[in-house]
Amino acid sequence: MGLSSTRAAELLARDGPNALSPPKQTPEIIKFLKQMVGGFSILLWIGAFLCWIAYGIQYSNNMSSSLDSVYLGAVLVLVVILTGIFAYYQEAKSTNIMSSFSKMIPQQALVIRDSEKKILPAEQLVVGDIVEIKGGDQIPADIRVLSCQGCRVDNSSLTGESEPQSRSSEFTHENPLETKNICFYSTTCLEGTATGMVINTGDRTVIGHIASLASGVGNEKTPIAIEIEHFVHIVAGVAISIGVLFFIIAVSMKYHVLDSIIFLIGIIVANVPEGLLATVTVTLSLTAKRMAKKNCLVKNLEAVETLGSTSIICSDKTGTLTQNRMTVAHLWFDHQIFMADTSENQSNQVFDQSSGTWASLSKVITLCNRAEFKPGQESVPIMKKVVVGDASETALLKFSEVILGDVMQIRKRNRKVAEIPFNSTNKFQLSIHETEDPGDRRFLLVMKGAPERILERCSTIMVHGQEQPLDESAAQAFHTAYMELGGLGERVLGFCHLYLPADKFPETYVFDTDAMNFPTSNLCFVGLLSMIDPPRSTVPDAVTKCRGAGIKVIMVTGDHPITAKAIAKSVGIISANSETVEDIANRLNIAVEQVNKWDAKAAVVTGMELKDMSPDQLDEILATYSEIVFARTSPQQKLIIVEGCQRQDAVVAVTGDGVNDSPALKKADIGIAMGIAGSDAAKNAADMVLLDDNFASIVTGVEEGRLIFDNLKKTIAYTLTKNIAELCPFLIYIIVGLPLPIGTITILFIDLGTDIIPSIALAYEKAESDIMNRKPRHKKKDRLVNMPLAVYSYLHIGLMQALGAFLVYFTVYAQEGFLPSSLINLRVEWEKDDVNDLEDSYGQEWTRYQRQYLEWTGYTAFFVGIMVQQIADLIIRKTRRNSIFQQGLFRNKVIWVGIASQIIIALILCYGLGSVTALSFTTLRPQYWFVAVPHAILIWVYDEMRKLFIRLYPGSWWDKNMYY
Amino acid sequence: MRRQLRSRRAPAFPYGYRHRLDDQDEVNQNYLADEEEEAEEEAQVMVVPNLVEEDEEEKEEEKEEKKEEEESQDQPAGNAWWWKLKIMSEYLWDPERRMFLARTGQSWSLILVIYFFFYASLAAVITLCMYTLFLTISPYMPTFTERMKPPGVMIRPFAHSLNFNFNVSEPDTWQHYVISLNGFLQGYNDSLQEEMNVDCPPGQYFIQDGDEDEDKKACQFKRSFLKNCSGLEDPTFGYSTGQPCILLKMNRIVGFRPELGDPVKVSCKVQRGDENDIRSINYYPESASFDLRYYPYYGKLTHVNYTSPLVAMHFTDVVKNQAVPVQCQLKGRGNINDVINDRFMGRVIFTLNIET
């Protein structure tokens, strides 16, 4: 009967739609405001307000005071807002990539309402609705089964059990997860049909609870966010302390407080790399784009680097490490085990196909199989064709199709006359065919099934095409092979056949499968065939790479320990020569307890064992063994494992696809969801989505992440260097009293103009050496900005730059008439508006405006000086250890784009805007552009020397203090 | 292997601080881990979550976040101070800490020596550069002078503002002008000029060929040229009578010659307002111009006794008791006197407010 539409509408109004509420989003405005006050912005805000306060004081003293500081404040605010908007835009862009994912096809449900069957969107389901489901459907809500026929569901996304679960209307267990009469929202019905009543909808479903649990797990700061914060603190600390120090010095040197405030602003502006955070964002998003091309879709920009510092990867098995499809791995016939090609295209089947036994076996494989290709896929490669049938049969079908060619034709030629499908009591499948040989009137009976059951029914065995009696030794050989294949974690099937004698079974004989009017014993055993979900061919390499990169790969799977271990061995998670405690016990023939567990490198831990472990014990296991496989684990236990790894101070990457993985994905430093197999909840909780579900993509991600960390170091070193060159003028201006060498606005033009593109260009730099050969960085020791980096940038290159820029400045002043000696302590006279006949070194007299113009020329000269040396700085920052010539000067083309942009922007500022005095740029004589060039070359030479000594004396004092 | 060594190496921070930081982080992490376990337990039981409890948890989280924020606000200050101290101490003071940190037994003095040599060589480089710079610069003739042309103009007496406010009957209000003018004109005393400088023919440039480094002779500009404004006859320069003298001089520029032998003239008028506010001005010398013989100027190194020529403006009849803006301009070919940005190029603007 079902609910009436009106009642349903009432309930819908009460409970809301049957859909998971999306995770709580931070309001956009909050995100935006965060960008406005994050990082250095707060310093710049302070600077801006100081400007306005300074103007306020000036204004109250003198109505006609200049608006310069108001403009400067406005410019600072503008800078903050622009960089904020930019960062926000970048963030938003990367979020948008993700949101395209969550667009789902609206789900339909067959509901009985008003005594009519209706198809409604699943969202409109309410508690009490009667729904009908059939094989292939997704369960539209939590439902209690009222009646069903052979209904089996796949609960793997919820519980991690990969075996289909049968459902019935009986109540079998207290725990809703265990009882057989409940189907859960978002799981799939594999076969059969069922009618059920909706008992929970939307967020109140079991899945809903888990999803909300996942969103409750707090997002921790990413390692790169911590690093950047650390860096911001350093720079802000330097800025504020130098600012305050010189404020005090200025005040005690009898400067006006007002002037001192202006100095303070200048020092802050000079010290803060305004453009850097925007650059970092761009760099990260560039890498994110690059990774997206390699099938790693990054949801959270900062996660780009997290993958690089990952030290433990907890990986799923199915689909991630393996191909997620059953494939024939081994064959046994003629008392021999043959290996089949399990690679993705299986094109290279090398086993001996000349034996007569193979001919028979292939016939059994082909004929005793109900799986079929879906029609209309002629042009699709065999391996990609869609098959109707279960996993094993699909594997067999594809296997025979690859080797024998058109299976459908073979089946047509050997017409099927009778068939008994597989069922769990018989544990075999049987079919009877006419043969394709027109001279042979006999029927062929083929059978496959559980090997021991098949063997029971056989009295002979085929060897080299000849039937032989199945004696003791042959049975022994069978058992050895069966055990061996089973030990590899493979699913083994036995095959046998029998030619029915033509006299007893004439062509007209009617086979009755219920009465079994044909022999099912004394058959001829043909062979064994084993199947496995084989590892992806790229995975072993990737695992080796991880190992080389110092990353521990832990397999966490719901699968059987033996299978898990076999796969772990074949992909190298457990390396060839390492043993588990059990292996050692077996080898030495002693009890497991007697084995010294330090001898074992590997461990296979099952979910059952894990359940009884204390966190300490888990920690011990994680610390003791370098190769660990967790088998038969529930998704909940994944969370425990992740936490255990994090207690080891590791940066943990976790892969997952099920809904139940989402808390673990969230908890992990970087959660990686599967793009194909992954559920939306998992994708929501993850920081990264693997579009091809391939473990190898994670490794490329790691590589990119490490590269970006290195390159960010270079970018920051590049950016920090010029801060000293920008800061020194202010300090010297205050202490020595030179006319101001560089203005605040000019500094902003360097930070946000000429330096931006070059610092982004460093993101394109290739790795210096194999970054996958070193250990993951220690998140507390290997900082992004470390002491040598800061010292080298500030006190070495920075100072050299400052000297070079001062040289240009002095050259300009000297050539205009003010020799350096005359500049000392000139500041006060220089800046007096009523002194219009200030004498220079030649006795010439200068008006205030002429001096002002000269000062601007000085700014421009200083600017050009820094810019020229920043080109050298850019080139030296390409490498930290190798010589530039080893790295190749022209390999990174973007660097040259950066250099060109630097020069072009400077040219425009100098000659394009020369008349705009508000920007305080003047038309500089061309020769001044070359004054700092020797200094630039000197910087290059000095850095080459530094790198040379680092390479020559690794581990020396020089290496320790000069390598950043 | 090298990597491993590196990671075990001294971190970028003083030891005490780093440990403190690490401990904090650990505490935080443990806290979070506990919280996670609680959440995990809930997940396993799969009971319908108690909303109130969750809220409480959220609140707790918020509190924790606040705490963390406070901590992180504390951190940067401490952080920066330490860091800065290290930077400074690297080559200034506090060697002990550095010794403590040095793990390879290399000492503070090594750093000192290395930095000494580094900075010494930097100093050598900059000295070399400056030396080269001086090689390219003549001490007699500035490399470029275009930026200064046309020359600026300045007046004497020099007051901090260009408003001449004084009351004729109150000597205190104008005495400082007189003192200033007297002081300024000391260098123009006739006796001094006759002793030091030569009397050169007027109306033509006083060009002195010869080597750059040869001392140049200077033309006399006697105080007496200024007649009534010389302060010789009237020691108050007219201020006591409400007829103030203001001296105008053109800024010196090495090598400057008024264009095409046309001497620069001075002309003053009311800048804004009634033209008749100034009824008469006497100029001294009477030509109201800077004679060509005072040009060119050869620079202070060789042209030691050069005295800038002056033009005195004697405002003999100016409207009293009101501010009169006056603009004096240089007139002559090639002279620009209307640049908006520079109000002292080729002109000077001042106000006279003479009270009686």
Side-chain angles (χ1 to χ4, degrees):
Chain A
M1 262 251 303
L3 295 172
S4 67
S5 297
T6 43
R7 177 72 185 139
E10 277 169 32
L11 287 171
L12 189 65
R14 189 192 69 187
D15 295 340
N18 173 35
L20 296 185
S21 51
K24 251 182 259 166
Q25 297 280 336
T26 331
E28 293 297 305
I29 184 75
I30 300 282
K31 279 191 203 165
F32 184 68
L33 288 179
K34 261 190 185 159
Q35 298 286 2
M36 289 289 158
V37 295
F40 297 118
S41 305
I42 205 85
L43 271 185
L44 296 180
W45 281 114
I46 292 172
F49 282 114
L50 282 179
C51 279
W52 289 330
I53 291 170
Y55 176 75
I57 298 170
Q58 261 176 354
Y59 188 77
S60 60
N61 289 343
N62 177 8
M63 296 298 210
S64 63
S65 57
S66 80
L67 285 166
D68 281 359
S69 35
V70 177
Y71 293 146
L72 181 59
V75 167
L76 290 182
V77 169
L78 193 73
V79 165
V80 172
I81 292 176
L82 283 184
T83 49
I85 289 174
F86 182 74
Y88 171 77
Y89 168 73
Q90 284 289 347
E91 286 273 356
K93 218 167 68 176
S94 69
T95 322
N96 281 346
I97 302 175
M98 270 319 293
S99 59
S100 62
F101 252 95
S102 44
K103 275 179 207 141
M104 278 186 302
I105 308 146
Q107 207 190 324
Q108 305 283 327
L110 184 62
V111 191
I112 301 174
R113 278 203 191 156
D114 305 326
S115 312
E116 270 177 62
K117 282 189 188 180
K118 284 180 183 170
I119 290 182
L120 289 177
E123 277 193 9
Q124 297 184 6
L125 288 187
V126 293
V127 173
D129 266 333
I130 309 292
V131 293
E132 285 187 9
I133 45 175
K134 57 180 194 306
D137 283 355
Q138 218 181 16
I139 315 285
D142 281 3
I143 57 174
R144 198 179 78 222
V145 178
L146 300 175
S147 67
C148 71
Q149 286 88 40
C151 173
R152 279 142 70 87
V153 291
D154 175 12
N155 273 358
S156 61
S157 77
L158 188 63
T159 61
E161 291 161 295
S162 51
E163 292 296 310
Q165 313 274 306
S166 66
R167 294 286 100 163
S168 65
S169 52
E170 292 122 50
F171 170 79
T172 57
H173 204 283
E174 293 272 326
N175 185 340
L177 275 181
E178 299 285 329
T179 186
K180 279 197 180 292
N181 65 340
I182 292 180
C183 295
F184 299 102
Y185 178 41
S186 91
T187 59
T188 15
C189 175
L190 294 175
E191 57 187 43
T193 57
T195 312
M197 197 208 301
V198 176
I199 52 172
N200 272 320
T201 57
D203 287 337
R204 290 168 301 281
T205 59
V206 172
I207 292 282
H209 285 160
I210 296 167
S212 63
L213 191 74
S215 55
V217 174
N219 243 343
E220 280 169 58
K221 273 191 187 134
T222 57
I224 195 71
I226 294 170
E227 288 305 318
I228 287 173
E229 201 166 83
H230 172 237
F231 159 72
V232 167
H233 287 167
I234 288 178
V235 171
V238 170
I240 292 173
S241 37
I242 294 185
V244 169
L245 182 72
F246 276 85
F247 181 78
I248 294 166
I249 289 177
V251 169
S252 55
M253 281 175 78
K254 306 256 159 45
Y255 281 99
H256 281 295
V257 176
L258 200 71
D259 287 339
S260 308
I261 290 178
I262 305 269
F263 300 158
L264 182 62
I265 298 162
I267 288 171
I268 290 177
V269 171
N271 246 313
V272 170
E274 288 85 5
L276 189 60
L277 293 187
T279 312
V280 170
T281 319
V282 174
T283 308
L284 288 177
S285 63
L286 281 175
T287 309
K289 250 184 221 164
R290 205 149 53 190
M291 282 164 86
K293 265 187 210 151
K294 293 176 180 171
N295 291 323
C296 289
L297 197 63
V298 181
K299 241 173 90 181
N300 171 5
L301 273 190
E302 286 164 350
V304 168
E305 192 278 331
T306 314
L307 206 49
S309 39
T310 297
S311 49
I312 296 182
I313 300 177
C314 292
S315 175
D316 260 356
K317 180 180 81 69
T318 311
T320 313
L321 296 172
T322 65
Q323 301 172 14
N324 197 17
R325 61 160 179 244
M326 279 309 210
T327 305
V328 175
H330 292 96
L331 302 100
W332 180 80
F333 55 85
D334 297 348
H335 297 316
Q336 248 185 308
I337 289 179
F338 298 93
M339 246 168 67
D341 181 12
T342 54
S343 67
E344 272 81 349
N345 54 17
Q346 298 183 13
S347 56
N348 197 18
Q349 300 289 3
V350 290
F351 64 91
D352 179 23
Q353 296 170 9
S354 59
S355 161
T357 321
W358 165 246
S360 303
L361 181 58
S362 61
K363 197 164 255 174
V364 183
I365 293 170
T366 321
L367 298 180
C368 187
N369 191 334
R370 302 176 67 198
E372 282 174 20
F373 290 111
K374 271 195 178 166
Q377 303 187 78
E378 282 71 26
S379 57
V380 183
I382 298 170
M383 283 306 138
K384 294 204 171 126
K385 283 184 185 167
V386 181
V387 177
V388 186
D390 76 12
S392 307
E393 297 226 305
T394 306
L396 293 173
L397 174 63
K398 288 188 173 171
F399 179 68
S400 42
E401 178 92 4
V402 166
I403 297 175
L404 303 173
D406 196 339
V407 171
M408 292 306 171
Q409 278 304 319
I410 298 175
R411 288 198 197 156
K412 235 178 240 171
R413 290 201 298 269
N414 300 273
R415 200 175 60 85
K416 195 189 289 181
V417 289
E419 181 180 49
I420 303 175
F422 184 87
N423 68 44
S424 44
T425 35
N426 288 342
K427 295 218 161 142
F428 68 78
Q429 177 182 352
L430 177 153
S431 57
I432 299 168
H433 300 262
E434 292 169 354
T435 58
E436 57 188 321
D437 182 0
D440 191 348
R441 288 295 162 92
R442 293 177 298 175
F443 285 104
L444 175 65
L445 181 149
V446 288
M447 185 194 259
K448 75 166 184 225
E452 64 276 10
R453 293 295 183 88
I454 298 293
L455 194 72
E456 278 168 18
R457 295 172 185 275
C458 294
S459 56
T460 57
I461 181 165
M462 185 174 275
V463 178
H464 300 297
Q466 305 300 316
E467 270 186 49
Q468 292 176 5
L470 184 67
D471 54 14
E472 206 44 34
S473 68
Q476 192 56 46
F478 161 86
H479 278 292
T480 317
Y482 183 27
M483 289 308 289
E484 190 175 341
L485 295 178
L488 293 174
E490 296 175 3
R491 186 186 292 176
V492 190
L493 288 177
F495 294 86
C496 62
H497 73 178
L498 182 71
Y499 282 97
L500 301 178
D503 47 347
K504 278 190 193 166
F505 300 96
E507 263 179 275
T508 52
Y509 189 84
V510 179
F511 292 95
D512 182 349
T513 52
D514 292 327
M516 301 262 244
N517 56 354
F518 45 87
T520 55
S521 57
N522 291 328
L523 311 176
C524 172
F525 189 85
V526 184
L528 289 173
L529 196 145
S530 67
M531 284 169 293
I532 197 163
D533 180 10
R536 288 166 178 270
S537 51
T538 47
V539 169
D541 257 2
V543 172
T544 317
K545 258 191 172 173
C546 280
R547 184 137 308 146
I551 301 170
K552 200 161 156 180
V553 183
I554 294 178
M555 182 197 276
V556 183
T557 174
D559 226 326
H560 199 272
I562 294 175
T563 318
K565 191 174 160 191
I567 293 292
K569 280 209 156 173
S570 64
V571 298
I573 288 179
I574 295 180
S575 47
N577 50 4
S578 57
E579 296 174 304
T580 63
V581 175
E582 291 78 12
D583 288 337
I584 297 175
N586 266 340
R587 178 163 56 84
L588 302 175
N589 222 349
I590 50 174
V592 172
E593 290 75 28
Q594 289 172 293
V595 178
N596 178 4
K597 63 183 174 186
W598 297 103
D599 289 344
K601 266 175 74 188
V604 178
V605 183
T606 64
M608 296 300 285
E609 292 165 340
L610 195 57
K611 212 180 255 174
D612 302 331
M613 267 181 211
S614 68
D616 287 343
Q617 283 171 306
L618 177 61
D619 287 356
E620 199 190 319
I621 286 185
L622 289 171
T624 313
Y625 302 108
S626 58
E627 301 168 349
I628 308 173
V629 170
F630 289 98
R632 279 261 175 255
T633 49
S634 68
Q636 277 97 341
Q637 285 173 322
K638 216 173 195 177
L639 189 62
I640 297 174
I641 295 167
V642 171
E643 281 167 4
C645 293
Q646 282 176 335
R647 279 197 296 275
Q648 315 282 312
D649 240 356
V651 176
V652 186
V654 172
T655 69
D657 45 19
V659 178
N660 239 10
D661 290 335
S662 42
L665 289 175
K666 203 97 197 228
K667 176 69 196 165
D669 295 280
I670 176 164
I672 303 167
M674 297 299 133
I676 303 168
S679 59
D680 286 320
K683 282 179 199 164
N684 269 330
D687 304 295
M688 187 179 268
V689 177
L690 281 192
L691 293 179
D692 57 356
D693 289 14
N694 189 349
F695 182 80
S697 308
I698 300 179
V699 179
T700 28
V702 170
E703 213 166 339
E704 290 290 344
R706 289 185 174 191
L707 184 59
I708 200 65
F709 187 80
D710 282 6
N711 285 349
L712 276 182
K713 253 188 179 178
K714 295 172 185 173
T715 303
I716 288 177
Y718 168 77
T719 317
L720 282 189
T721 305
K722 58 149 196 294
N723 278 8
I724 282 294
E726 292 168 353
L727 180 66
C728 283
F730 277 94
L731 307 190
I732 289 182
Y733 168 72
I734 294 171
I735 293 181
V736 185
L738 303 181
L740 188 60
I742 189 164
T744 321
I745 304 273
T746 323
I747 289 175
L748 289 177
F749 270 107
I750 298 178
D751 288 1
L752 297 170
T754 55
D755 264 9
I756 289 286
I757 299 175
S759 49
I760 293 172
L762 281 170
Y764 289 93
E765 201 52 50
K766 297 272 179 306
E768 275 174 70
S769 54
D770 194 351
I771 38 178
M772 293 306 275
N773 274 341
R774 62 186 197 213
K775 295 243 165 308
R777 71 182 182 95
H778 190 289
K779 64 178 172 185
K780 283 176 189 162
K781 284 182 189 148
D782 303 330
R783 308 308 302 252
L784 182 65
V785 178
N786 53 19
M787 189 71 185
L789 185 146
V791 168
Y792 185 66
S793 299
Y794 276 154
L795 296 184
H796 291 233
I797 303 295
L799 264 181
M800 290 167 89
Q801 255 189 16
L803 288 182
F806 265 110
L807 183 67
V808 191
Y809 163 85
F810 280 132
T811 309
V812 167
Y813 274 75
Q815 297 208 328
E816 291 284 343
F818 287 94
L819 298 183
S821 52
S822 70
L823 291 174
I824 295 166
N825 274 327
L826 192 63
R827 192 193 86 88
V828 181
E829 285 294 302
W830 182 275
E831 289 180 355
K832 269 186 191 160
D833 282 335
D834 47 13
V835 175
N836 278 290
D837 52 356
L838 186 76
E839 215 174 280
D840 68 11
S841 310
Y842 295 91
Q844 311 184 94
E845 289 165 324
W846 294 69
T847 66
R848 173 69 182 123
Y849 182 77
Q850 286 165 341
R851 293 197 308 268
Q852 182 76 65
Y853 192 87
L854 178 56
E855 193 177 314
W856 288 337
T857 312
Y859 292 177
T860 315
F862 210 93
F863 165 83
V864 167
I866 291 180
M867 190 278 294
V868 166
Q869 292 175 91
Q870 276 295 79
I871 294 177
D873 192 23
L874 181 65
I875 290 171
I876 65 167
R877 299 301 182 182
K878 277 164 70 76
T879 60
R880 295 185 294 151
R881 171 185 303 277
N882 288 350
S883 164
I884 293 301
F885 301 104
Q886 282 170 297
Q887 181 81 351
L889 200 48
F890 299 99
R891 247 175 63 190
N892 182 354
K893 303 278 187 302
V894 190
I895 289 276
W896 293 95
V897 174
I899 291 175
S901 80
Q902 231 169 349
I903 295 171
I904 290 167
I905 292 174
L907 283 173
I908 291 173
L909 286 173
C910 226
Y911 300 110
L913 305 173
S915 53
V916 184
T917 48
L919 300 179
S920 49
F921 277 96
T922 66
T923 312
L924 200 65
R925 285 171 213 284
Q927 62 264 41
Y928 293 139
W929 287 69
F930 300 98
V931 175
V933 170
H935 275 257
I937 293 169
L938 186 70
I939 286 176
W940 189 348
V941 171
Y942 178 67
D943 193 63
E944 278 295 319
M945 256 172 55
R946 175 189 76 92
K947 289 167 185 165
L948 179 69
F949 282 125
I950 287 175
R951 291 195 304 273
L952 282 182
Y953 307 107
S956 65
W957 180 90
W958 184 266
D959 182 22
K960 280 176 191 166
N961 288 277
M962 303 296 274
Y963 181 75
Y964 53 87
Chain B
M1 199 54 208
R2 264 188 44 68
R3 278 290 143 194
Q4 267 172 305
L5 279 174
R6 182 172 305 292
S7 63
R8 264 189 263 121
R9 205 173 69 202
F13 282 82
Y15 251 31
Y17 178 69
R18 170 131 304 289
H19 283 299
R20 195 162 62 84
L21 199 104
D22 287 0
D23 290 348
Q24 269 178 8
D25 279 5
E26 263 168 39
V27 170
N28 288 349
Q29 275 191 351
N30 288 344
Y31 180 87
L32 284 167
D34 289 346
E35 221 176 56
E36 291 309 324
E37 270 168 23
E38 280 167 30
E40 160 61 20
E41 275 164 29
E42 270 194 26
Q44 280 177 332
V45 178
M46 284 292 166
V47 287
V48 178
N50 185 337
L51 287 172
V52 181
E53 248 179 51
E54 265 193 359
D55 282 353
E56 273 173 16
E57 251 181 43
E58 269 175 31
K59 271 177 207 161
E60 267 175 36
E61 267 177 31
E62 273 169 28
K63 269 184 220 158
E64 177 64 15
E65 267 169 29
K66 269 179 203 162
K67 224 187 281 172
E68 273 178 10
E69 267 171 31
E70 278 163 25
E71 274 169 18
S72 61
Q73 274 167 3
D74 288 346
Q75 274 177 19
N79 209 333
W81 276 109
W82 271 113
W83 193 83
K84 199 186 91 68
L85 261 179
K86 284 260 331 127
I87 281 239
M88 301 303 280
S89 70
E90 195 90 327
Y91 57 103
L92 282 180
W93 66 82
D94 200 6
E96 274 180 14
R97 196 167 288 279
R98 183 67 216 181
M99 294 277 273
F100 174 63
L101 261 181
R103 290 164 69 88
T104 49
Q106 301 291 340
S107 65
W108 170 239
S109 55
L110 177 61
I111 288 166
L112 213 65
V113 167
I114 284 187
Y115 272 85
F116 176 78
F117 277 111
F118 176 61
Y119 288 136
S121 36
L122 275 192
V125 166
I126 194 75
T127 315
L128 184 74
C129 289
M130 293 307 263
Y131 178 73
T132 331
L133 171 63
F134 281 116
L135 284 186
T136 64
I137 285 173
S138 150
Y140 310 107
M141 184 71 190
T143 319
F144 304 111
T145 51
E146 305 89 75
R147 275 312 312 165
M148 303 183 62
K149 289 171 193 166
V153 172
M154 198 51 189
I155 50 170
R156 290 288 185 275
F158 179 71
H160 285 286
S161 72
L162 293 165
N163 300 325
F164 293 86
N165 288 330
F166 62 94
N167 193 324
V168 176
S169 52
E170 289 173 39
D172 279 354
T173 56
W174 45 263
Q175 198 59 48
H176 62 279
Y177 296 126
V178 174
I179 294 169
S180 164
L181 282 175
N182 248 327
F184 176 69
L185 287 175
Q186 283 309 306
Y188 292 85
N189 282 340
D190 289 15
S191 53
L192 194 69
Q193 287 291 325
E194 276 160 17
E195 187 190 333
M196 310 291 291
N197 294 345
V198 295
D199 189 9
C200 31
Q204 65 186 64
Y205 295 125
F206 184 46
I207 292 170
Q208 304 173 66
D209 292 327
D211 289 339
E212 258 192 342
D213 57 346
E214 239 172 64
D215 277 350
K216 304 288 191 299
K217 293 194 176 67
C219 281
Q220 291 174 356
F221 189 96
K222 293 182 186 166
R223 191 169 172 170
S224 52
F225 292 177
L226 302 176
K227 311 272 170 55
N228 288 339
C229 283
S230 64
L232 298 171
E233 291 106 51
D234 176 6
T236 65
F237 297 93
Y239 284 85
S240 57
T241 56
Q243 296 172 311
C245 278
I246 288 173
L247 309 182
L248 187 143
K249 73 180 179 66
M250 201 158 76
N251 279 352
R252 287 193 295 263
I253 294 169
V254 173
F256 173 75
R257 294 183 221 179
E259 252 173 71
L260 298 167
D262 203 0
V264 177
K265 275 200 156 120
V266 177
S267 144
C268 296
K269 60 173 190 239
V270 176
Q271 190 213 5
R272 254 179 295 118
D274 190 354
E275 293 266 335
N276 296 323
D277 282 352
I278 301 174
R279 277 182 287 274
S280 81
I281 309 170
N282 291 340
Y283 296 96
Y284 309 108
E286 282 84 353
S287 62
S289 64
F290 300 102
D291 198 286
L292 292 181
R293 62 178 158 167
Y294 300 106
Y295 302 97
Y297 173 52
Y298 286 103
K300 85 173 167 190
L301 201 62
T302 49
H303 219 161
V304 185
N305 291 316
Y306 181 84
T307 35
S308 294
L310 303 170
V311 169
M313 288 95 65
H314 198 189
F315 293 92
T316 45
D317 194 355
V318 180
V319 171
K320 303 291 187 310
N321 298 321
Q322 94 177 54
V324 181
V326 186
Q327 170 168 276
C328 293
Q329 286 178 313
L330 299 184
K331 295 277 163 85
R333 233 176 293 176
N335 254 325
I336 302 164
N337 47 29
D338 52 0
V339 177
I340 298 161
N341 284 326
D342 193 350
R343 299 193 303 138
F344 291 90
M345 183 185 280
R347 60 174 173 166
V348 60
I349 297 162
F350 53 90
T351 52
L352 290 174
N353 189 357
I354 306 163
E355 288 168 27
T356 50

